[in-house]
Amino acid sequence: MPKLSDAHSYPPRGMSREEAARYVGVGTTKFDEMVADRRMPKPRKIDGRVVWDRIALDAAFSDLPSGGGNVIDELLSGCRLHG
């Protein structure tokens, strides 16, 4: 029986710049702007590698202003929905 790879069984904790930008749904130029203006976190350094923490990205993304009605974010933040 062949051994199955678990490469996609869990999301990585550390992401490259390109992966982090894709994860939050923007291009790398916009991601760089968001890091510069502190809407997104600064990276961590592991030896010579620069990585973004997925959990820090999640927290920063949750802090972004909503356009008035992302039900999933409202539920996750514990806000009451007004119908």
Side-chain angles (χ1 to χ4, degrees), residues 1-81:
M1 180 179 223
K3 183 178 178 180
L4 298 175
S5 171
D6 71 345
H8 297 288
S9 63
Y10 54 89
R13 176 73 186 262
M15 299 182 193
S16 70
R17 174 177 161 259
E18 292 80 9
E19 291 168 328
R22 187 171 47 250
Y23 184 71
V24 298
V26 298
T28 54
T29 302
K30 175 55 74 178
F31 184 74
D32 291 344
E33 290 172 15
M34 295 175 79
V35 171
D37 67 19
R38 298 182 181 211
R39 288 182 286 167
M40 286 292 134
K42 292 187 179 212
R44 296 174 181 250
K45 297 205 178 182
I46 301 174
D47 297 329
R49 186 169 158 87
V50 176
V51 295
W52 274 263
D53 180 345
R54 176 179 46 83
I55 294 171
L57 291 169
D58 286 338
F61 189 87
S62 292
D63 287 342
L64 292 173
S66 69
N70 185 328
V71 175
I72 294 172
D73 284 343
E74 290 176 10
L75 288 171
L76 291 174
S77 70
C79 294
R80 288 190 61 181
L81 297 177

